[in-house]
Amino acid sequence: QAHLVESGGGSVQPGASLRLSCAASGGFLDDYAIGWFRQPPGPAGPEREFVAGINWNGDSTYYADSVSRFSISRDVAKRMVYLQMNNLKLEDTAVYYCAANRGFSRSDSYWMQNAEYWGQGTQVTVSS
């Protein structure tokens, strides 16, 4: 059974950095690409959006256009995927999720449409 658990969120000031972690259990996820997504706050807010993705062995990455300050990485042996977020801005406030995807793509819509297993999310709040 697949299980993804995010951690590392918190409340920070603009300009700070955070590193989010995604722990993936269930051995078959070793063959899956992992993506990070975020859901901004508010019932009428934007929909969940793709942030960054990495393939099964960590040698291919893809980012949404809006996140040049972020970096995704993967430790295959530890079954961990990380999202390093630098120079955080107010608009980065969201619940961040990781999700497993059978394939890797350089298309935001592909990641959104094909993510199979989701974690429960970790809150990131950027405020002054």
Side-chain angles (χ1 to χ4, degrees):
Q1 183 175 357
H3 194 51
L4 297 168
V5 178
E6 304 92 339
S7 62
S11 295
V12 298
Q13 293 186 334
S17 296
L18 280 175
R19 188 178 81 156
L20 305 183
S21 298
C22 173
S25 61
F28 67 96
L29 288 181
D30 293 350
D31 297 328
Y32 277 59
I34 301 292
W36 283 99
F37 302 76
R38 65 185 179 184
Q39 174 72 58
E47 297 179 351
R48 189 174 298 185
E49 61 181 0
F50 169 78
V51 174
I54 192 165
N55 74 331
W56 71 276
N57 67 357
D59 67 0
S60 294
T61 58
Y62 173 69
Y63 298 90
D65 289 340
S66 60
V67 293
S68 60
R69 298 168 285 109
F70 295 180
S71 176
I72 190 171
S73 61
R74 185 167 191 163
D75 188 326
V76 173
K78 294 182 178 179
R79 291 179 173 161
M80 297 290 293
V81 175
Y82 305 100
L83 185 68
Q84 178 67 42
M85 306 187 296
N86 297 324
N87 190 22
L88 284 162
K89 302 181 182 300
L90 299 177
E91 55 265 35
D92 294 319
T93 295
V95 178
Y96 284 72
Y97 301 88
C98 63
N101 190 330
R102 290 180 186 267
F104 175 82
S105 173
R106 300 189 187 281
S107 163
D108 293 23
S109 59
Y110 177 89
W111 285 92
M112 292 299 303
Q113 294 167 8
N114 293 281
E116 290 190 36
Y117 304 100
W118 292 84
Q120 293 188 330
T122 184
Q123 176 71 48
V124 172
T125 301
V126 185
S127 65
S128 54

